[in-house]
């Protein structure tokens, strides 16, 4: 594996390798006073961010630093065409500086894949447009495995409901791909306007889709709430925040429909009161939202390690 | 004088063809045509002879984007593709929306002399879709522009579209509509379907094309005008066209070579070489388009040759402009998709690439320099018979070639067929008897003198 562009790039063996490596690295770090491993000393990781995302950038930065890599943050906001340097020229510059890995966040779907034709180093997709965000899917699977499967093996038989703005969500696409690889069953839940046309066949084998959250919750082991941007209202994807919240928000009543063991996830940042009620987000037993952030660092360490160090 | 020896008109029995004074002077069995001493001999054993191709949809980019294409480089690509006439779309900078600009483009084309360049006039001022451009002035100009389009944009306003359709009747004009309901395609990047869902690219739904075609066909029927539909791309559009033609309405349509061959899964990899408007569609659409071209529901092939500079295309998918080169690959793609599949014979190819587009563009009449109906642009899409203008193309049907972008004559490199091995090659092209292409390369004497 040279790049990580899509969660679909990983077969079951590779996906388990990433998750198992993340567990090992997590344990190796946990036992140390100085939370740092020497594994990637002398390697250079560039965080190339065309979109603001303090959370993802910080997580990658921490992951790289914990493996002793040198980290450069390169923020290039806006359209490459409208303003300044082209994506290709930026890529060639990074290549000339000797980047071993480029962690790319971009507003345009497919931009990280375009980068791979111009740089020799590994490209890691840290979220591209409305396409994918594979490390988010990995940290989500890691979290589910720890909570529900004792931190090992696959996710065979698990039922995961992904709820919200699937149309614009890179998290939903990556999660659907990875969870299916790991043996889980995914149901996408959204108002029809927020599902892409062709969603049922978008990954070949049919994807389960529902417009009715209440009917899905009683069999869900995991419910993953997606961020819904309120500006979608202006484009008539739904009439109002209130109506959205009533029909698709996870409140305390709906949480009560879940089986006892079920967990509640959210990739952040949350709109409290919109797609998720505060009492649900902060629920001590079910909510994994803070854990997901912690696990993100371990999973990204594993990805960097396997792409940069594991090959040697 | 030129003697073409042993060519097979429409793929039929071999003949010798004598060309004199820009016209076909004699046709006879091989060896039967008397050869004047000073005749230039073109050996055409095994080659197919067709009327020169006519493209009713070309972007030459001049004036304004001479870095991407010029009338000169586009003319060269056209001649090498077997074309003797191309219609230049008006989305230039400035837009080709006045008599002055159409004459400028037309004169450039005739000075270069590789192919007749007939400017298409903009329907609306600046192609903004707000008020009619001076269509009559363009029709009366030296260029004799009678085809009008805001291509790249749709004439969205139904009332304005109706007026345009009506107004051009006065000079037997036609409105060529880029059918796209813009409100359904805001930021659209590719065909809307399972592939766009997976790739996270905003969808361009088939209905955005079909809704406008249905509306415009109804308008054309209502006011009794001629409508031409640009680059039809969906099976649903074919159904609507079939229905409109069954009503007896004067509706014609074109399909591009790329829509006859490529499908939307080419977007995987996000290489903007495959980004085009309307977008590449599904295999079912491709099949419907081929059937429609075969049965005449779609009248002709048009390239939508759309050069873009490398820097404009070597970027993020969403940031790249839509469009593909087409002039030099059109015949080969038509042979692969229509001839090799048994859907069209060579007479069919001649009809869809020459006769029908010449008729739609009204350049099939007798050319005249004194203001006759075809103006100076006539003589295209003619039958191969004595007395007709010698606008001809010679094709090697058995050749195959590897498409190498750097070897194309266009100033740009954005062919989606790079690396494809395609059948059939243009060996020679004759514009009013003057060879513009010989032995598959631009003729040394071509251009400037014509």
């Amino acid at each position: 594996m040279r790049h990580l562009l899509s969660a679909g790039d990983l077969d079951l063996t590779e996906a388990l390798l990433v998750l198992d490596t993340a567990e090992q690295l997590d344990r190796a770090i946990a036992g140390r006073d100085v939370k740092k491993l020497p594994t990637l000393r002398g390697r250079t990781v560039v965080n190339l961010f065309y979109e603001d995302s303090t959370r993802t950038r910080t997580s990658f930065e921490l992951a790289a630093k914990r493996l002793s890599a040198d980290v450069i943050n390169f923020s290039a906001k806006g359209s490459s065409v409208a303003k300044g340097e082209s994506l290709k020229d930026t890529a060639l510059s990074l290549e000339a500086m000797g980047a071993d890995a480029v962690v790319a966040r971009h507003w345009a779907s497919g931009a990280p894949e375009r980068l791979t034709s111009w740089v020799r180093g590994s490209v890691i997709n840290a979220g591209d447009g409305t396409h994918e965000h594979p490390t988010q899917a990995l940290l989500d699977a890691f979290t589910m495995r720890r909570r529900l499967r004792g931190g090992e093996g696959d996710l065979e038989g698990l039922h995961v409901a992904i709820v919200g703005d699937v149309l614009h969500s890179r998290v939903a696409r990556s999660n659907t791909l990875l969870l299916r690889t790991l043996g889980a069953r995914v149901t996408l839940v959204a108002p029809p306007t927020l599902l892409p046309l062709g969603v049922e066949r978008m990954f070949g084998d049919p994807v389960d889709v529902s417009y009715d959250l209440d009917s899905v919750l009683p069999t869900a082991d995991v419910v993953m709430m997606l961020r819904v941007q309120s500006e979608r209202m202006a484009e008539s994807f739904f009439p109002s925040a209130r109506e959205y919240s009533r029909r698709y928000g996870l409140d305390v009543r709906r949480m009560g429909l879940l089986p006892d063991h079920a967990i509640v996830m959210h990739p952040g940042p949350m709109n409290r009161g919109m797609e998720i009620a505060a009492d649900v987000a902060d629920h001590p037993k079910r909510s994994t939202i803070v854990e997901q952030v912690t696990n993100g660092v371990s999973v990204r360490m594993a990805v960097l390690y396997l792409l940069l160090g594991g090959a040697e | 004088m030129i003697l073409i020896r042993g060519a097979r008109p429409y793929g039929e029995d071999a003949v010798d063809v004598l060309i004199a004074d820009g016209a076909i002077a004699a046709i006879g069995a091989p060896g039967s045509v008397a050869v004047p001493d000073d005749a230039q001999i073109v050996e055409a054993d095994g080659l197919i002879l067709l009327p020169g191709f006519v493209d009713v949809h070309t972007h030459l980019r001049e004036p304004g984007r001479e870095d991407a294409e010029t009338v000169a480089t586009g003319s060269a690509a056209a001649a090498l593709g077997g074309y003797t006439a191309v219609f230049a779309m008006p989305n230039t900078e400035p837009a080709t929306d006045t008599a002055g600009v159409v004459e400028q483009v037309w004169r450039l084309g005739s000075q270069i002399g590789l192919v007749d360049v007939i400017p298409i006039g903009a329907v609306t001022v600046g192609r903004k879709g707000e008020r009619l451009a001076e269509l009559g002035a363009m029709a009366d100009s030296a260029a004799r522009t009678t085809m009008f389009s805001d291509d790249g944009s749709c004439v969205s306003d139904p009332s304005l579209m109706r007026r345009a359709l009506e107004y051009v009747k006065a000079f037997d004009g036609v409105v060529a509509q880029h059918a796209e309901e813009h409100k359904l395609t805001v930021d659209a990047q590719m065909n809307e379907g399972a592939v766009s869902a997976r790739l996270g690219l905003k969808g361009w739904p088939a209905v955005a094309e079909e809704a406008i075609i249905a509306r415009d066909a109804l308008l054309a029927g209502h006011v009794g005008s001629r409508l031409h539909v640009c680059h039809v791309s969906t099976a649903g559009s074919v159904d609507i066209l079939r229905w409109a033609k069954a009503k007896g309405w004067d509706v014609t349509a074109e399909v591009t070579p790329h829509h006859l061959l490529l499908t939307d899964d080419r977007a995987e990899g996000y290489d903007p070489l495959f980004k085009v408007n309307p977008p590449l569609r599904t295999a079912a659409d491709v099949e419907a388009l081929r059937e429609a071209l075969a049965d005449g529901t779609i009248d002709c092939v048009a390239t939508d040759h759309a050069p873009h500079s490398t820097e404009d295309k070597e970027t993020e998918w969403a940031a790249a402009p839509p469009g593909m080169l087409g002039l030099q690959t059109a015949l080969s793609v038509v042979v692969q998709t229509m001839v090799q599949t048994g859907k069209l014979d060579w007479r069919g190819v001649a009809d869809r690439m020459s006769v029908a587009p010449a008729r739609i563009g009204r350049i099939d009449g007798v050319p005249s320099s004194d203001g006759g109906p075809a103006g100076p642009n006539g003589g295209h899409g003619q039958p191969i018979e004595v007395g007709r203008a010698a606008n001809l193309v010679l094709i090697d049907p058995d050749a195959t070639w590897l498409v190498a972008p750097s070897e194309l004559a266009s100033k740009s490199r954005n062919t989606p067929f790079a690396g494809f091995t395609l059948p059939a090659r243009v060996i020679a092209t004759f514009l009013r008897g003057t060879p513009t292409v010989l032995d598959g390369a631009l003729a040394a004497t071509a251009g400037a003198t014509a």
Side-chain angles (χ1 to χ4, degrees):
Chain A
M1 195 170 70
R2 190 164 148 225
H3 307 294
L4 181 61
L5 302 174
S6 162
D9 294 347
L10 302 168
D11 63 21
L12 178 60
T13 309
E14 289 166 330
L16 289 175
L17 179 63
V18 176
L19 298 181
D20 293 344
T21 304
E23 284 287 356
Q24 286 162 15
L25 289 168
D26 193 51
R27 279 196 290 273
I29 287 279
R32 287 177 171 242
D33 290 338
V34 180
K35 293 200 180 304
K36 224 169 164 87
L37 300 170
T39 320
L40 295 184
R41 186 173 292 154
R43 301 303 203 93
T44 304
V45 174
V46 176
N47 285 324
L48 176 61
F49 275 56
Y50 281 81
E51 232 182 27
D52 282 332
S53 175
T54 309
R55 158 189 310 254
T56 303
R57 185 183 54 71
T58 310
S59 180
F60 269 106
E61 186 171 352
L62 205 53
K65 284 181 169 166
R66 283 191 179 165
L67 293 170
S68 305
D70 296 321
V71 181
I72 296 163
N73 289 315
F74 194 115
S75 127
K77 273 195 277 177
S79 154
S80 63
V81 167
K83 307 171 195 171
E85 194 174 52
S86 74
L87 183 65
K88 179 182 177 179
D89 286 331
T90 303
L92 295 178
S93 302
L94 299 178
E95 176 70 16
M97 290 177 208
D100 296 293
V102 177
V103 175
R105 163 69 69 108
H106 202 291
W107 51 268
S109 299
E113 186 160 349
R114 295 290 285 154
L115 281 174
T116 61
S117 49
W118 302 312
V119 300
R120 266 169 301 191
S122 294
V123 175
I124 299 168
N125 181 0
D128 62 329
T130 54
H131 178 223
E132 287 213 41
H133 193 356
T135 58
Q136 178 72 42
L138 284 163
L139 77 88
D140 289 337
F142 182 91
T143 304
M144 291 177 213
R145 200 170 77 146
R146 271 206 171 167
R147 277 293 193 111
L148 301 169
R149 292 293 162 91
E152 54 187 45
D154 59 24
L155 299 176
E156 189 66 40
L158 208 67
H159 182 205
V160 181
I162 301 177
V163 185
D165 186 358
V166 175
L167 178 62
H168 301 97
S169 174
R170 46 200 175 208
V171 176
R173 285 174 180 76
S174 285
N175 261 293
T176 304
L177 282 165
L178 183 69
L179 288 167
R180 282 155 54 118
T181 300
L182 290 168
R185 180 162 75 86
V186 175
T187 303
L188 300 173
V189 185
T193 45
L194 291 177
L195 290 164
L197 192 96
V199 61
E200 296 85 357
R201 309 295 307 187
M202 71 176 168
F203 300 127
D205 298 332
V207 180
D208 289 334
V209 168
S210 172
Y211 309 138
D212 179 9
L213 181 54
D214 283 1
S215 72
V216 174
L217 291 175
T219 60
D221 303 296
V222 178
V223 56
M224 182 183 298
M225 304 307 296
L226 302 173
R227 175 179 173 79
V228 176
Q229 293 175 322
S230 50
E231 56 258 39
R232 302 293 174 211
M233 271 184 295
E235 300 168 69
S236 286
F237 285 103
F238 51 88
S240 67
R242 179 191 296 253
E243 173 155 327
Y244 181 86
S245 181
R246 260 202 310 260
R247 293 177 67 86
Y248 294 98
L250 192 63
D251 56 15
V252 173
R253 178 192 69 80
R254 284 212 170 93
M255 188 169 65
L257 299 174
L258 287 164
D260 281 347
H261 66 274
I263 58 173
V264 175
M265 307 181 75
H266 195 298
M270 286 182 283
N271 289 313
R272 286 174 184 255
M274 175 83 167
E275 72 267 7
I276 192 164
D279 287 346
V280 178
D282 298 330
H283 194 275
K285 185 167 139 263
R286 292 199 193 267
S287 173
T288 66
I289 294 164
V290 178
E291 250 170 274
Q292 285 170 265
V293 177
T294 310
N295 294 342
V297 179
S298 307
V299 160
R300 288 171 178 130
M301 285 172 71
V303 169
L304 287 168
Y305 170 77
L306 291 169
L307 289 179
L308 295 182
E312 309 219 331
Chain B
M1 267 186 277
I2 293 174
L3 183 74
I4 301 171
R5 253 201 319 228
R8 297 158 53 211
Y10 309 105
E12 293 156 13
D13 293 342
V15 295
D16 289 353
V17 176
L18 184 69
I19 298 171
D21 299 327
I24 297 174
I27 301 177
S32 73
V33 174
V35 187
D37 290 342
D38 57 345
Q40 177 185 355
I41 309 290
V42 175
E43 295 294 351
D45 202 26
L47 304 185
I48 287 169
L49 184 67
L50 297 183
F53 300 144
V54 173
D55 188 10
V56 292
H57 195 143
T58 307
H59 297 274
L60 295 178
R61 302 295 185 223
E62 189 173 359
R65 283 307 299 265
E66 289 85 352
D67 59 319
E69 192 79 293
T70 62
V71 174
T73 55
S75 292
L80 287 162
Y83 287 90
T84 52
V86 298
F87 286 73
M89 278 293 177
N91 58 337
T92 47
E93 298 165 21
T96 314
D97 63 354
T98 63
V101 186
V102 295
E103 284 198 4
Q104 180 195 343
V105 173
W106 180 77
R107 281 190 209 291
L108 262 172
S110 52
Q111 281 159 16
I112 290 153
L114 288 170
V115 61
D116 284 349
V117 174
I118 299 117
I120 297 174
V123 177
T124 65
V125 175
R127 298 174 49 253
K128 292 198 171 91
E130 290 162 2
R131 56 198 176 87
L132 286 186
E134 289 188 349
L135 309 181
M138 290 187 264
D140 291 339
S141 76
R144 285 290 188 285
T145 290
T146 57
M147 192 176 233
F148 300 93
S149 180
D150 276 0
D151 183 58
S153 299
C154 182
V155 181
S156 290
D157 181 333
S159 172
L160 188 60
M161 184 62 184
R162 175 203 164 132
R163 298 287 178 240
L165 287 166
E166 285 179 304
Y167 192 77
V168 300
K169 282 205 282 189
F171 33 88
D172 194 23
V174 65
V175 177
Q177 176 71 296
H178 169 116
E180 175 178 358
E181 174 46 81
H182 291 299
K183 299 241 174 189
L184 287 172
T185 60
V186 176
D187 298 329
Q189 298 295 325
M190 67 171 296
N191 179 52
E192 183 172 41
V195 181
S196 65
R198 177 167 75 251
L199 296 181
L201 291 172
K202 189 157 183 217
W204 198 126
V207 62
E209 173 174 310
E210 293 154 4
I212 293 293
I213 295 178
R215 181 201 77 176
D216 288 354
L218 288 163
L219 284 173
H222 182 61
V223 300
S225 288
R226 224 150 55 87
L227 168 73
H228 179 70
V229 183
C230 296
H231 40 51
V232 170
S233 72
T234 78
S237 297
V238 168
D239 289 340
I240 293 163
L241 288 166
R242 206 167 266 140
W243 167 80
K245 288 191 165 191
K247 292 273 190 188
W249 298 338
D250 200 351
V251 175
T252 58
E254 70 191 36
V255 62
T256 71
H258 47 269
H259 287 114
L260 289 172
L261 182 58
L262 305 174
T263 48
D264 62 348
D265 50 358
R266 296 272 171 186
E268 284 166 13
Y270 299 92
D271 187 338
L273 283 179
F274 297 104
K275 182 173 173 180
V276 67
N277 190 17
L280 301 176
R281 304 289 187 182
T282 68
D285 293 306
V286 167
E287 192 51 38
L289 293 171
R290 291 180 184 185
E291 289 302 326
L293 185 63
D295 72 19
T297 301
I298 293 175
D299 303 80
C300 67
V301 174
T303 64
D304 196 5
H305 177 82
H308 288 291
S309 67
T310 301
E311 57 272 24
D312 280 352
K313 278 291 195 181
E314 225 171 29
T315 181
E316 301 90 343
W317 178 282
M324 306 174 159
L325 299 185
L327 285 168
Q328 278 179 264
T329 44
L331 169 71
S332 294
V333 173
V334 169
V335 169
Q336 178 165 329
T337 57
M338 302 300 295
V339 178
Q340 292 186 342
T341 55
K343 294 181 192 298
L344 282 183
D345 58 13
W346 289 103
R347 276 195 185 269
V349 173
D351 183 76
R352 305 301 191 272
M353 296 188 71
S354 177
V355 179
R359 189 172 58 233
I360 292 165
R362 296 294 193 255
I363 56 169
D364 56 339
V366 177
S368 72
S369 52
D370 58 356
N377 304 319
H380 294 278
Q382 303 285 298
I384 300 173
E385 50 187 45
V386 173
R388 301 287 187 168
N391 292 316
L392 298 165
V393 56
L394 275 174
I395 296 157
D396 181 350
D398 302 319
T400 58
W401 60 295
L402 179 71
V403 181
S406 62
E407 291 172 14
L408 299 176
S410 175
K411 208 161 182 180
S412 294
R413 299 279 168 266
N414 57 308
T415 172
F417 305 114
F420 282 46
T421 298
L422 296 177
R425 275 222 88 146
V426 170
I427 301 301
T429 310
F430 302 88
L431 178 63
R432 283 182 291 279
T434 303
T436 53
V437 172
L438 281 176
D439 297 325
L442 284 182
T445 57
T449 58

